[in-house]
Short mmCIF file of all heavy atoms in Angstrom, two decimals:
data_model
loop_
_atom_site.label_atom_id
_atom_site.label_comp_id
_atom_site.label_asym_id
_atom_site.label_seq_id
_atom_site.Cartn_x
_atom_site.Cartn_y
_atom_site.Cartn_z
N MET A 1 45.24 12.75 -45.93
CA MET A 1 46.68 12.61 -45.42
C MET A 1 46.91 13.72 -44.46
O MET A 1 47.83 13.60 -43.60
CB MET A 1 47.59 12.79 -46.69
CG MET A 1 47.71 11.37 -47.32
SD MET A 1 48.57 10.17 -46.20
CE MET A 1 48.86 8.87 -47.27
N ASP A 2 46.41 14.90 -44.69
CA ASP A 2 46.65 16.04 -43.77
C ASP A 2 46.20 15.67 -42.21
O ASP A 2 46.94 16.00 -41.29
CB ASP A 2 45.94 17.29 -44.14
CG ASP A 2 46.70 18.15 -45.22
OD1 ASP A 2 48.02 18.18 -44.95
OD2 ASP A 2 46.14 18.71 -46.06
N ILE A 3 45.06 15.06 -42.27
CA ILE A 3 44.50 14.65 -40.88
C ILE A 3 45.37 13.47 -40.34
O ILE A 3 45.77 13.53 -39.11
CB ILE A 3 43.21 14.15 -41.10
CG1 ILE A 3 42.09 15.22 -41.58
CG2 ILE A 3 42.69 13.46 -39.86
CD1 ILE A 3 40.79 14.77 -42.03
N ILE A 4 45.87 12.62 -41.09
CA ILE A 4 46.72 11.44 -40.61
C ILE A 4 48.06 12.04 -40.22
O ILE A 4 48.57 11.58 -39.12
CB ILE A 4 46.90 10.36 -41.74
CG1 ILE A 4 45.55 9.70 -42.10
CG2 ILE A 4 47.95 9.40 -41.36
CD1 ILE A 4 45.53 8.90 -43.29
N LYS A 5 48.56 12.98 -40.95
CA LYS A 5 49.84 13.46 -40.55
C LYS A 5 49.66 14.30 -39.22
O LYS A 5 50.51 14.30 -38.34
CB LYS A 5 50.42 14.49 -41.57
CG LYS A 5 51.58 15.27 -41.25
CD LYS A 5 52.07 16.14 -42.36
CE LYS A 5 53.27 17.04 -42.02
NZ LYS A 5 52.80 18.03 -40.92
N GLU A 6 48.67 15.05 -39.08
CA GLU A 6 48.33 15.78 -37.94
C GLU A 6 48.23 14.93 -36.68
O GLU A 6 48.53 15.15 -35.57
CB GLU A 6 47.12 16.62 -38.19
CG GLU A 6 46.67 17.54 -36.98
CD GLU A 6 45.25 18.11 -37.18
OE1 GLU A 6 44.84 18.15 -38.28
OE2 GLU A 6 44.75 18.57 -36.20
N ASN A 7 47.73 13.73 -36.88
CA ASN A 7 47.50 12.65 -35.96
C ASN A 7 46.53 13.20 -34.78
O ASN A 7 46.84 12.83 -33.60
CB ASN A 7 48.75 12.18 -35.46
CG ASN A 7 48.72 10.80 -34.79
OD1 ASN A 7 47.64 10.12 -34.98
ND2 ASN A 7 49.56 10.43 -33.87
N ASN A 8 45.53 13.99 -35.11
CA ASN A 8 44.67 14.35 -34.05
C ASN A 8 43.85 13.22 -33.55
O ASN A 8 43.12 12.57 -34.37
CB ASN A 8 43.61 15.45 -34.72
CG ASN A 8 42.61 15.98 -33.72
OD1 ASN A 8 41.87 15.25 -33.22
ND2 ASN A 8 42.71 17.29 -33.55
N PRO A 9 43.90 12.90 -32.35
CA PRO A 9 43.38 11.60 -31.81
C PRO A 9 41.82 11.57 -31.94
O PRO A 9 41.25 10.56 -32.27
CB PRO A 9 43.80 11.60 -30.31
CG PRO A 9 44.06 12.98 -30.00
CD PRO A 9 44.62 13.61 -31.21
N HIS A 10 41.24 12.80 -31.84
CA HIS A 10 39.68 12.86 -31.96
C HIS A 10 39.43 12.48 -33.41
O HIS A 10 38.40 11.66 -33.66
CB HIS A 10 39.16 14.18 -31.48
CG HIS A 10 39.49 14.52 -30.14
ND1 HIS A 10 38.89 13.71 -29.05
CD2 HIS A 10 40.14 15.45 -29.59
CE1 HIS A 10 39.20 14.20 -27.93
NE2 HIS A 10 40.04 15.26 -28.20
N LYS A 11 39.88 13.10 -34.37
CA LYS A 11 39.57 12.87 -35.79
C LYS A 11 39.89 11.52 -36.29
O LYS A 11 39.21 10.87 -36.98
CB LYS A 11 40.33 13.88 -36.72
CG LYS A 11 39.70 15.32 -36.57
CD LYS A 11 40.31 16.33 -37.53
CE LYS A 11 39.80 17.63 -37.47
NZ LYS A 11 40.49 18.70 -38.32
N MET A 12 41.06 10.89 -35.74
CA MET A 12 41.53 9.63 -36.11
C MET A 12 40.47 8.56 -35.56
O MET A 12 40.03 7.64 -36.31
CB MET A 12 42.88 9.35 -35.61
CG MET A 12 43.94 10.13 -36.35
SD MET A 12 44.14 9.77 -38.07
CE MET A 12 44.94 8.08 -38.04
N GLU A 13 39.96 8.79 -34.30
CA GLU A 13 39.06 7.81 -33.70
C GLU A 13 37.78 7.90 -34.51
O GLU A 13 36.99 6.93 -34.68
CB GLU A 13 38.92 8.14 -32.21
CG GLU A 13 40.09 7.82 -31.42
CD GLU A 13 39.79 8.23 -29.88
OE1 GLU A 13 38.86 8.83 -29.58
OE2 GLU A 13 40.69 7.87 -29.11
N ILE A 14 37.42 9.10 -34.87
CA ILE A 14 36.11 9.26 -35.70
C ILE A 14 36.15 8.36 -37.00
O ILE A 14 35.39 7.77 -37.48
CB ILE A 14 35.81 10.68 -35.92
CG1 ILE A 14 35.32 11.42 -34.67
CG2 ILE A 14 34.75 10.83 -36.97
CD1 ILE A 14 35.29 12.90 -34.75
N LEU A 15 37.35 8.70 -37.66
CA LEU A 15 37.53 7.99 -38.92
C LEU A 15 37.59 6.54 -38.77
O LEU A 15 37.01 5.81 -39.58
CB LEU A 15 38.85 8.43 -39.69
CG LEU A 15 38.81 9.82 -40.24
CD1 LEU A 15 40.22 10.38 -40.58
CD2 LEU A 15 37.90 9.90 -41.52
N TRP A 16 38.23 5.98 -37.79
CA TRP A 16 38.14 4.53 -37.54
C TRP A 16 36.89 4.05 -37.09
O TRP A 16 36.49 2.90 -37.45
CB TRP A 16 39.20 4.21 -36.33
CG TRP A 16 40.55 4.06 -36.82
CD1 TRP A 16 41.70 4.89 -36.37
CD2 TRP A 16 41.12 3.09 -37.67
NE1 TRP A 16 42.83 4.40 -36.96
CE2 TRP A 16 42.55 3.34 -37.78
CE3 TRP A 16 40.55 2.05 -38.38
CZ2 TRP A 16 43.36 2.53 -38.64
CZ3 TRP A 16 41.38 1.28 -39.29
CH2 TRP A 16 42.67 1.55 -39.41
N SER A 17 36.04 4.84 -36.56
CA SER A 17 34.65 4.46 -36.22
C SER A 17 33.83 4.37 -37.40
O SER A 17 32.86 3.60 -37.57
CB SER A 17 33.92 5.44 -35.21
OG SER A 17 33.52 6.70 -35.89
N TRP A 18 34.12 5.19 -38.50
CA TRP A 18 33.48 5.07 -39.80
C TRP A 18 33.79 3.78 -40.51
O TRP A 18 32.99 3.13 -41.16
CB TRP A 18 33.81 6.19 -40.61
CG TRP A 18 33.21 7.54 -40.19
CD1 TRP A 18 32.57 7.76 -38.98
CD2 TRP A 18 33.51 8.87 -40.68
NE1 TRP A 18 32.33 9.10 -38.79
CE2 TRP A 18 32.90 9.82 -39.82
CE3 TRP A 18 34.19 9.29 -41.86
CZ2 TRP A 18 32.97 11.18 -40.12
CZ3 TRP A 18 34.31 10.69 -42.12
CH2 TRP A 18 33.59 11.61 -41.26
N VAL A 19 35.09 3.39 -40.42
CA VAL A 19 35.51 2.20 -41.02
C VAL A 19 34.87 0.97 -40.38
O VAL A 19 34.35 0.09 -40.95
CB VAL A 19 37.02 1.95 -40.97
CG1 VAL A 19 37.43 0.66 -41.43
CG2 VAL A 19 37.76 3.00 -41.74
N ARG A 20 34.55 1.13 -39.17
CA ARG A 20 33.96 0.00 -38.42
C ARG A 20 32.43 0.09 -38.48
O ARG A 20 31.69 -0.83 -38.04
CB ARG A 20 34.38 0.03 -36.96
CG ARG A 20 35.83 -0.40 -36.75
CD ARG A 20 36.26 -0.29 -35.23
NE ARG A 20 37.43 -0.80 -35.02
CZ ARG A 20 38.59 -0.16 -35.10
NH1 ARG A 20 38.73 1.04 -35.54
NH2 ARG A 20 39.88 -0.81 -34.92
N ARG A 21 31.88 1.23 -38.94
CA ARG A 21 30.47 1.47 -39.13
C ARG A 21 29.73 1.47 -37.82
O ARG A 21 28.63 0.99 -37.58
CB ARG A 21 29.89 0.45 -40.07
CG ARG A 21 30.29 0.41 -41.39
CD ARG A 21 30.09 1.68 -42.26
NE ARG A 21 30.43 1.60 -43.63
CZ ARG A 21 31.61 1.83 -44.24
NH1 ARG A 21 32.55 2.25 -43.36
NH2 ARG A 21 31.80 1.64 -45.42
N ARG A 22 30.41 1.97 -36.75
CA ARG A 22 29.90 2.08 -35.40
C ARG A 22 30.17 3.30 -34.71
O ARG A 22 31.30 3.81 -34.88
CB ARG A 22 30.33 0.81 -34.57
CG ARG A 22 29.75 -0.53 -35.01
CD ARG A 22 30.54 -1.69 -34.35
NE ARG A 22 31.39 -1.50 -33.21
CZ ARG A 22 32.25 -2.41 -32.83
NH1 ARG A 22 32.39 -3.50 -33.40
NH2 ARG A 22 32.93 -2.18 -31.77
N PRO A 23 29.32 3.81 -33.83
CA PRO A 23 29.58 5.03 -33.16
C PRO A 23 30.73 4.82 -32.13
O PRO A 23 31.13 3.72 -31.86
CB PRO A 23 28.26 5.27 -32.28
CG PRO A 23 27.22 4.46 -33.05
CD PRO A 23 27.85 3.32 -33.56
N LEU A 24 31.35 6.04 -31.84
CA LEU A 24 32.53 5.97 -31.04
C LEU A 24 32.35 5.18 -29.76
O LEU A 24 33.30 4.46 -29.40
CB LEU A 24 32.97 7.40 -30.68
CG LEU A 24 33.74 8.17 -31.86
CD1 LEU A 24 33.88 9.59 -31.40
CD2 LEU A 24 35.25 7.47 -32.03
N GLU A 25 31.29 5.39 -29.07
CA GLU A 25 31.05 4.87 -27.78
C GLU A 25 30.85 3.37 -27.89
O GLU A 25 30.81 2.56 -26.89
CB GLU A 25 29.80 5.54 -27.08
CG GLU A 25 28.42 5.26 -27.86
CD GLU A 25 28.21 6.47 -28.85
OE1 GLU A 25 29.24 7.14 -29.08
OE2 GLU A 25 26.97 6.68 -29.05
N ASP A 26 30.56 2.74 -29.14
CA ASP A 26 30.38 1.34 -29.20
C ASP A 26 31.65 0.59 -29.78
O ASP A 26 31.56 -0.69 -29.99
CB ASP A 26 29.32 1.12 -30.36
CG ASP A 26 27.97 1.54 -29.86
OD1 ASP A 26 27.77 1.82 -28.62
OD2 ASP A 26 26.98 1.58 -30.73
N CYS A 27 32.78 1.21 -29.85
CA CYS A 27 33.92 0.54 -30.27
C CYS A 27 35.24 1.17 -29.75
O CYS A 27 35.22 2.30 -29.38
CB CYS A 27 34.03 0.63 -31.90
SG CYS A 27 34.24 2.22 -32.60
N GLN A 28 36.08 0.28 -29.53
CA GLN A 28 37.53 0.74 -29.07
C GLN A 28 38.20 0.93 -30.31
O GLN A 28 38.67 0.10 -31.17
CB GLN A 28 38.12 -0.42 -28.29
CG GLN A 28 37.44 -0.64 -27.00
CD GLN A 28 37.54 0.42 -25.94
OE1 GLN A 28 38.58 1.21 -25.98
NE2 GLN A 28 36.55 0.71 -25.22
N CYS A 29 38.46 2.31 -30.58
CA CYS A 29 39.17 2.76 -31.86
C CYS A 29 40.51 3.03 -31.60
O CYS A 29 40.97 3.51 -30.52
CB CYS A 29 38.43 3.96 -32.32
SG CYS A 29 36.68 3.74 -32.71
N GLY A 30 41.38 2.65 -32.42
CA GLY A 30 42.84 2.92 -32.48
C GLY A 30 43.46 3.32 -33.82
O GLY A 30 42.72 3.23 -34.77
N GLN A 31 44.69 3.68 -33.81
CA GLN A 31 45.19 4.07 -35.16
C GLN A 31 45.91 2.88 -35.73
O GLN A 31 46.20 1.83 -35.08
CB GLN A 31 46.29 5.10 -34.83
CG GLN A 31 45.71 6.43 -34.19
CD GLN A 31 46.62 7.50 -33.86
OE1 GLN A 31 47.78 7.37 -34.27
NE2 GLN A 31 46.33 8.26 -32.78
#
């Protein structure tokens, strides 16, 4: 929740890439 509140774009994109099980460069990640 601290990360989500901070809304750091790099960390949020990394977390979304984990949900998608794909590296950052292989997916268009968003919040």
Side-chain angles (χ1 to χ4, degrees):
M1 274 296 185
D2 273 325
I3 294 170
I4 293 167
K5 175 182 172 293
E6 179 188 347
N7 200 23
N8 180 300
H10 297 296
K11 289 182 179 179
M12 292 296 285
E13 287 177 355
I14 289 167
L15 287 165
W16 277 116
S17 77
W18 295 357
V19 171
R20 293 176 169 86
R21 304 294 191 270
R22 285 168 20 194
L24 280 171
E25 60 268 22
D26 292 348
C27 62
Q28 293 293 326
C29 299
Q31 298 175 23

